Amino acid sequence: MQQRTKLAFWWLCWMLWLPARADDGMWLPNLIKALNEQDMQERGLRLTAEDIYSVNRSSLKDAILQFGRGCSGAVVSPNGLLLTNYHCAFSYLQRHSTVDNNFIEKGFWARSLEEEIANPGLTVTFIIRIEDVTERVLESVSPDMGEEEREAKIKETSSRIAAEAVENTDYKASVEPFYYGNEFYLFVKQEFTDVRLVGAPPSSIGQFGGETDNWEWPRHTGDFALFRIYAGPENEPANFSQANVPYEPRYYLPVSLQGYKEGDFTMVMGFPGRSQQFLTSYALKQLTEKINPHRIALRGKRLEVMENVMQRNDTVRLKYAAKYAGIANYWKKWQGETRGLQRFDAVTRKQEMEAEFTLWAQADLQRRLPYGTLLPQFERDYAALDSLILAFEYMREAAFAPEIMVFARNFDPYIVDVRELDKKEDKKKGKARQDQAIERLKSTTANHFRNYSRAIDQATLAVCLEAYARDIPPAFHPPLFEKIKAQYGNNFRAFANEVFKESVCASPEKVARFIERPYKKQVQILQHDPAYQLSREFMLLYRQHILPNYVALNAQLELNTRRYVAGLREMFQDSLLAPDANSTLRIAYGTVEGYRPRNGVIYTYQTTLEGILEKGDPNVPEFTVPDTLAKLYREKDYGRYGVDGTMPVAFIASNHTVGGNSGSPVINADGHLIGLNFDRVWEGTMSDFTYDPEQCRNISVDVRYILFIIDKVAGATHLIDEMTVIE
Ligand code: ARG
Ligand code: ASP
């Protein structure tokens, strides 16, 4: 490196906390050997890269799984028993619960294999191997290709590589872009579909602290649940069948009761969903100043609406628990994220780095062309996006936030399908299609109304439309807004009331009657149906006036990000820049450590059962301590799980994690399970964009607390007997 860039480099390391501390980064397991092994060992790891990832023998990666689409988990017994988070299991628990037999309230423990409950639709995915296929993919494109052609070629080559990789096997495969299309990796996977619920604590443990404690430290949530993977007679993936048997994993994690102390090495293996570490200052500014404040306000309004109804009605409270938690989760996350980015001065730091980048690019003739004008281009494109971005966000957060608006979309394909019946030349086929369309509509209708409150949805519609009309320029208003103005004087409550009175989408009975009508009548009904029409108008608006520009701008941004990231990697060629998370298997590593959230405050790295009693409040549902737990505390009955008269509950460490890492095992220097990741601390929720080693901590539930609950609260020692427990 030239002297000048060298200086800039060290300065930037400091600015970005680059490799000065490598806590940041979610790394590819197959590259650990080349990139991280030495660093990990220097920080205390006593394993080799081969122990973590190998294609020739069993390794840690064989115990790590993606749970459903959005969570992670780990196998902990030779009989396919797996650990993931309570919040990842929540919707399944809810599905199996009734008001009279409420697993959320009481917890659930299968006493034998026969009692384990199937979960149709739930999958568990393992990674068989990962391979760098960059060369093969990029061979198929040339620099003079247009973006569209390039995209198409890459897609075609990727599918071919993936198909070849799984020929004559029951594996699945995909090729994923890394560094925004500068590299490509093949993932060969094995997916299991018979995954049964084994055990979960009551929500007073699994969700202790609820929304109040969510994204916060100190934390006391027993956020875990157990499932079991079942396989066919050859240990192969098989759809649910009574004949299936517990899956024998290639590897399972031993569980350690040895604990950890401050400064100990830890690593997290799992499937982080998405991070955007390379975003420019323009993007971050737009995010913190424009997008997030609107998202937060919209969700705040919807939560208020839900709370009002849920407070008054127990049945609704049960039905809306998961929906509420889902909306509240990112509502709170975005607040922490904005705060964290602003406190870290992320925009200024990025601006300074961008100025350096441009200098670096201009300094060399070879670099000037590909990189020299990238930043002004970003600036221009984000400015263009600015006029569009709120309309885009409001589609999801306002227009299609009311459930009825989403449900109304189901009538579109129905109408198209049913029309087939009119085709005289093929009456039989037409009839079959109509039957299918009706069946589909019936089942989506049943799903939609299963956990539904008309009171909530109607009030949500009113507040969402009101916000949309107020915050989004008229150019993006659906034509129906004219009518709401003329007929209702923009009284959105009155309009929402009318919608629910008139629309066929408002109740299952109305849908059932609709289905019975003759086709011509159905078309007529929908033509005058306010929910269907509004939802259709929003969709058309989105497709015609928002999406095309958005897609075009995004394509431009993506192309430039690919160049920008290539430039950054060239500029920082002596250091490692981890690829952004993209739902593929990753390893993050760091140490157990506390942090200083605010001036004058120090947070320690661990919480104990004592804190649960401290927070306990019988009058607040989120903080109600179950009697059994209080009794165990009084009697200090911690068995082999306690330490010196205390019972560890949760801990924090500097592992770089993001959404999707929930349920990821936290592993010690010897490869043993010490905890389950489930959250991040409030001050560090911006780690999707910028990792601040001083403030970013992942929160995990201590595996000793998990075993303590399984043993002493649930009395399910047979599950612990399956595990390899290291005393
Ligand atoms: N914040 C954690 C995560 O993003 C836990 C979420 C559990 N949901 C909730 N609303 N409390 O998944
Ligand atoms: N709770 C998150 C998850 O579900 C983890 C996080 O965002 O830190 O993956």
Side-chain angles (χ1 to χ4, degrees):
M1 267 196 280
Q2 293 165 3
Q3 196 53 29
R4 196 190 142 65
T5 37
K6 216 176 221 164
L7 267 179
F9 169 73
W10 286 115
W11 177 72
L12 281 165
C13 290
W14 177 79
M15 293 296 298
L16 291 173
W17 307 95
L18 273 172
R21 286 186 51 164
D23 301 324
D24 106 66
M26 293 165 273
W27 305 93
L28 269 165
N30 55 317
L31 300 185
I32 288 284
K33 179 139 196 82
L35 303 183
N36 316 90
E37 186 182 41
Q38 192 188 346
D39 184 39
M40 290 169 88
Q41 288 172 343
E42 277 166 18
R43 287 153 177 268
L45 176 70
R46 286 185 285 270
L47 305 174
T48 63
E50 277 271 292
D51 296 329
I52 296 171
Y53 174 90
S54 168
V55 283
N56 304 315
R57 59 177 173 90
S58 65
S59 56
L60 288 188
K61 77 118 170 64
D62 297 316
I64 319 300
L65 53 95
Q66 186 168 38
F67 183 84
R69 291 282 160 254
C71 281
S72 307
V75 186
V76 290
S77 96
N79 314 314
L81 190 64
L82 75 86
L83 268 173
T84 186
N85 287 145
Y86 180 88
H87 78 260
C88 297
F90 190 79
S91 61
Y92 303 101
L93 287 168
Q94 188 180 40
R95 229 165 283 172
H96 301 309
S97 292
T98 60
V99 174
D100 298 324
N101 193 17
N102 187 348
F103 297 145
I104 292 169
E105 203 176 296
K106 296 184 304 194
F108 169 80
W109 296 97
R111 298 290 151 191
S112 62
L113 292 182
E114 290 69 41
E115 284 179 20
E116 299 179 353
I117 310 177
N119 300 282
L122 174 60
T123 58
V124 148
T125 309
F126 292 97
I127 300 301
I128 301 296
R129 67 186 167 90
I130 307 171
E131 200 183 304
D132 185 349
V133 292
T134 308
E135 237 171 83
R136 273 191 74 187
V137 173
L138 291 184
E139 238 165 42
S140 66
V141 300
S142 62
D144 51 309
M145 266 179 192
E147 270 308 282
E148 241 171 76
E149 192 186 349
R150 185 180 192 270
E151 272 292 294
K153 266 278 174 244
I154 286 181
K155 215 167 151 189
E156 182 195 308
T157 315
S158 298
S159 323
R160 188 155 27 83
I161 295 174
E164 266 171 33
V166 296
E167 232 171 357
N168 305 321
T169 70
D170 59 5
Y171 294 154
K172 301 194 164 182
S174 65
V175 170
E176 307 290 342
F178 282 67
Y179 298 105
Y180 297 85
N182 285 298
E183 291 181 9
F184 293 84
Y185 287 82
L186 164 73
F187 291 81
V188 177
K189 315 172 232 194
Q190 191 173 33
E191 182 183 279
F192 289 84
T193 49
D194 186 354
V195 184
R196 303 186 197 170
L197 176 65
V198 174
S203 66
S204 54
I205 289 172
Q207 250 174 2
F208 183 81
E211 299 310 309
T212 308
D213 273 6
N214 192 22
W215 302 110
E216 310 252 4
W217 183 255
R219 193 66 158 277
H220 299 86
T221 315
D223 201 340
F224 75 95
L226 289 148
F227 286 77
R228 192 186 306 281
I229 306 162
Y230 280 76
E234 308 292 327
N235 204 34
E236 80 287 10
N239 286 333
F240 173 83
S241 152
Q242 289 298 349
N244 285 350
V245 292
Y247 164 66
E248 268 179 52
R250 290 177 193 82
Y251 190 74
Y252 64 94
L253 294 181
V255 173
S256 170
L257 298 185
Q258 291 172 343
Y260 42 81
K261 51 185 192 329
E262 183 132 43
D264 277 359
F265 174 91
T266 60
M267 59 186 177
V268 171
M269 293 182 76
F271 292 79
R274 185 172 194 218
S275 66
Q276 295 171 276
Q277 307 283 319
F278 300 110
L279 280 187
T280 58
S281 59
Y282 312 107
L284 282 191
K285 202 163 148 64
Q286 192 173 69
L287 180 79
T288 49
E289 289 174 13
K290 194 160 190 172
I291 301 176
N292 275 358
H294 279 275
R295 286 170 165 172
I296 293 161
L298 283 171
R299 288 208 175 185
K301 277 255 174 288
R302 289 164 63 195
L303 290 170
E304 233 170 73
V305 163
M306 293 175 123
E307 271 160 40
N308 281 338
V309 183
M310 288 165 80
Q311 259 166 19
R312 295 195 310 257
N313 186 323
D314 283 350
T315 321
V316 176
R317 196 166 48 235
L318 178 63
K319 284 185 173 174
Y320 270 70
K323 289 178 186 172
Y324 184 91
I327 296 165
N329 195 32
Y330 267 62
W331 167 71
K332 194 166 178 188
K333 158 82 157 69
W334 291 324
Q335 296 176 54
E337 183 180 285
T338 302
R339 178 191 174 280
L341 288 169
Q342 285 171 346
R343 214 173 76 147
F344 192 63
D345 242 338
V347 171
T348 315
R349 287 184 194 231
K350 290 256 179 187
Q351 282 167 346
E352 282 163 345
M353 178 179 90
E354 288 157 6
E356 274 306 314
F357 180 84
T358 302
L359 275 181
W360 168 83
Q362 299 289 2
D364 184 313
L365 218 56
Q366 297 289 321
R367 302 197 289 250
R368 206 170 291 168
L369 188 63
Y371 309 130
T373 60
L374 276 180
L375 283 147
Q377 288 185 55
F378 276 119
E379 181 173 19
R380 186 199 59 206
D381 290 339
Y382 276 102
L385 196 57
D386 215 54
S387 60
L388 201 66
I389 194 70
L390 280 190
F392 181 79
E393 283 291 325
Y394 270 56
M395 274 295 143
R396 195 186 59 195
E397 296 292 331
F400 287 99
E403 295 165 77
I404 193 171
M405 298 308 268
V406 179
F407 179 58
R409 298 281 77 231
N410 288 300
F411 289 81
D412 253 356
Y414 173 77
I415 283 298
V416 175
D417 281 354
V418 168
R419 196 171 291 159
E420 293 285 312
L421 193 67
D422 280 359
K423 284 192 188 153
K424 289 206 183 66
E425 69 281 16
D426 206 348
K427 264 221 146 106
K428 241 189 172 159
K429 242 178 155 177
K431 178 82 181 84
R433 282 187 67 134
Q434 184 188 32
D435 289 345
Q436 257 181 20
I438 290 175
E439 278 320 303
R440 244 198 333 269
L441 187 60
K442 279 183 180 163
S443 86
T444 42
T445 302
N447 274 334
H448 170 70
F449 290 106
R450 184 165 298 123
N451 288 314
Y452 186 71
S453 154
R454 170 179 166 163
I456 288 181
D457 208 21
Q458 186 176 320
T460 304
L461 181 65
V463 299
C464 286
L465 294 181
E466 193 170 2
Y468 192 103
R470 186 193 55 222
D471 300 340
I472 300 301
F476 296 115
H477 285 189
L480 255 173
F481 272 28
E482 285 298 325
K483 186 179 154 197
I484 301 176
K485 195 166 169 193
Q487 284 185 13
Y488 298 87
N490 270 353
N491 181 340
F492 289 92
R493 271 172 176 277
F495 174 72
N497 188 32
E498 195 61 18
V499 169
F500 276 78
K501 223 163 72 197
E502 296 296 323
S503 173
V504 291
C505 308
S507 77
E509 294 77 24
K510 283 184 173 174
V511 180
R513 253 177 280 139
F514 170 86
I515 290 175
E516 296 305 316
R517 297 295 187 92
Y519 171 66
K520 282 220 169 72
K521 185 72 193 163
Q522 290 173 331
V523 175
Q524 249 175 34
I525 291 174
L526 289 180
Q527 269 166 355
H528 296 100
D529 190 285
Y532 177 78
Q533 284 307 327
L534 187 59
S535 142
R536 195 180 140 77
E537 285 183 8
F538 270 128
M539 191 44 85
L540 286 177
L541 190 84
Y542 179 63
R543 291 213 186 116
Q544 291 168 359
H545 298 291
I546 299 175
L547 203 56
N549 289 339
Y550 183 84
V551 167
L553 276 171
N554 237 5
Q556 185 59 35
L557 283 170
E558 238 160 70
L559 162 66
N560 282 340
T561 307
R562 185 168 79 236
R563 294 184 178 144
Y564 182 48
V565 170
L568 284 173
R569 296 179 81 199
E570 205 177 310
M571 181 170 167
F572 293 120
Q573 53 189 282
D574 288 354
S575 72
L576 300 177
L577 294 181
D580 270 330
N582 59 358
S583 293
T584 57
L585 180 62
R586 300 297 178 91
I587 295 189
Y589 55 97
T591 51
V592 175
E593 54 183 318
Y595 69 110
R596 295 163 186 266
R598 289 182 296 284
N599 185 252
V601 180
I602 296 179
Y603 280 158
T604 54
Y605 65 92
Q606 192 181 44
T607 59
T608 64
L609 190 51
E610 193 162 10
I612 295 186
L613 278 295
E614 211 173 78
K615 283 180 178 171
D617 183 344
N619 301 315
V620 182
E622 289 185 336
F623 289 101
T624 304
V625 182
D627 294 338
T628 13
L629 203 54
K631 184 161 174 283
L632 288 163
Y633 173 73
R634 275 196 308 276
E635 294 168 359
K636 300 278 174 289
D637 182 5
Y638 304 151
R640 55 177 173 158
Y641 314 111
V643 198
D644 303 331
T646 67
M647 184 62 237
V649 171
F651 64 98
I652 48 176
S654 52
N655 297 295
H656 192 176
T657 56
V658 293
N661 264 127
S662 275
S664 301
V666 186
I667 299 168
N668 68 12
D670 295 310
H672 306 152
L673 184 73
I674 54 171
L676 265 195
N677 180 75
F678 69 96
D679 210 1
R680 279 170 285 170
V681 302
W682 178 244
E683 294 76 12
T685 46
M686 80 298 197
S687 62
D688 309 30
F689 303 101
T690 297
Y691 187 88
D692 174 1
E694 300 299 323
Q695 298 293 317
C696 292
R697 297 289 177 271
N698 66 309
I699 308 180
S700 309
V701 51
D702 195 303
V703 80
R704 290 168 295 183
Y705 185 58
I706 296 177
L707 296 199
F708 164 75
I709 299 291
I710 298 176
D711 181 340
K712 300 278 179 177
V713 175
T717 44
H718 61 287
L719 296 175
I720 297 177
D721 294 342
E722 281 186 40
M723 305 175 189
T724 300
V725 176
I726 300 188
E727 300 268 355

